[in-house]
Amino acid sequence: MSALTGRKIVVTAGATIEAIDPVRFLSNRSSGKQGYLIAEALAHRGADVRLVSGPTCLPCPLDVTRIDIESARDMLAAVEAELPADAFIAVAAVADWRPAETHTRKAEKSAQGTMLQLVENPDILKYVANLAHNRPPLVVGFAAETHDVSERAHKKRLRKGCDWIVANDVSGDAMGGEENAAVLITNDGEETWPRTRKVAIAALLADRIETALAKM
Ligand code: CTP
């Protein structure tokens, strides 16, 4: 039996979208592929996976419970509703900012002007990693880096308070592509995963999570 059998794991994936008005929004290029593959790999090893997902074109992986959300604040509420959990894996590309105001009616071009005021979104990973109660025993974040990948990711791990960071080298076509190169940063050091298919990265991470949860 796998150490993941019956373990509850919350995974976030995809981009969040932040409404400007009923027809316009801010978002980013995340496809959700890496997060969905991780959810699938964990479920395949027996975990009870809750996939909190922004809008994507992807089908829900087999044996995964998907919770659909749009904004970062919706994502945070959905994640909190799923706690306690054995692990939290933050793969989503959460929009860093949202419009200060969301119009309930379509804003006129002329009335809106050219300035959009933004406010910062909650940092879901940091929030969960620093919970006094209900902090999952294993909290994993992702980092998209174009340079100084491992140095920046080490700092990010400490800044966010998470246990591990999977640092993606996004200098190529990682966002939306089929491949990824990554470095896994933990308290014990780092492990480099050379460029490979996202499904292989998902399997590597699921294996590491399985080993870690077996000791918890
Ligand atoms: N994250 C989150 N909530 C946010 C922003 C990010 O949960 N509001 C999570 C992501 O899911 C990911 C990690 O934090 O696990 C990425 O952190 P972030 O600071 O956004 O790093 P980068 O995307 O690498 O960007 P930057 O280096 O510009 O901060």
Side-chain angles (χ1 to χ4, degrees), residues 12 90-92 94 96 122-125 141-145 152 156 160:
T12 64
V91 197
V94 181
D96 290 314
D123 189 321
I124 301 162
L125 173 62
F142 272 65
E145 308 291 355
R152 291 170 59 85
K156 193 164 285 178
K160 301 261 186 180

Side-chain angles (χ1 to χ4, degrees), residues 43-57:
H44 185 66
R45 287 161 176 75
D48 170 10
V49 180
R50 311 297 164 93
L51 177 61
V52 180
S53 172
T56 72
C57 304

Side-chain angles (χ1 to χ4, degrees), residues 140-212:
V140 181
F142 272 65
E145 308 291 355
T146 53
H147 58 284
D148 304 329
V149 177
S150 88
E151 189 195 327
R152 291 170 59 85
H154 273 286
K155 287 188 184 148
K156 193 164 285 178
R157 188 180 82 86
L158 298 176
R159 200 166 65 235
K160 301 261 186 180
C162 56
D163 302 300
W164 301 353
I165 283 273
V166 180
N168 286 318
D169 185 344
V170 290
S171 50
D173 70 341
M175 277 219 153
E178 294 298 332
E179 295 189 338
N180 221 344
V183 183
L184 174 66
I185 313 275
T186 70
N187 200 22
D188 302 328
E190 62 179 66
E191 188 182 337
T192 300
W193 297 336
R195 192 169 180 79
T196 181
R197 291 176 64 76
K198 286 183 175 176
V199 68
I201 298 277
L204 282 164
L205 183 62
D207 287 345
R208 300 302 177 272
I209 293 170
E210 184 173 352
T211 305

Side-chain angles (χ1 to χ4, degrees), residues 14-17 26-33 55 93 173-177 198:
T16 64
I17 66 171
L26 299 177
S27 192
N28 60 65
R29 290 186 189 278
S30 169
S31 64
K33 277 179 203 161
D173 70 341
M175 277 219 153
K198 286 183 175 176

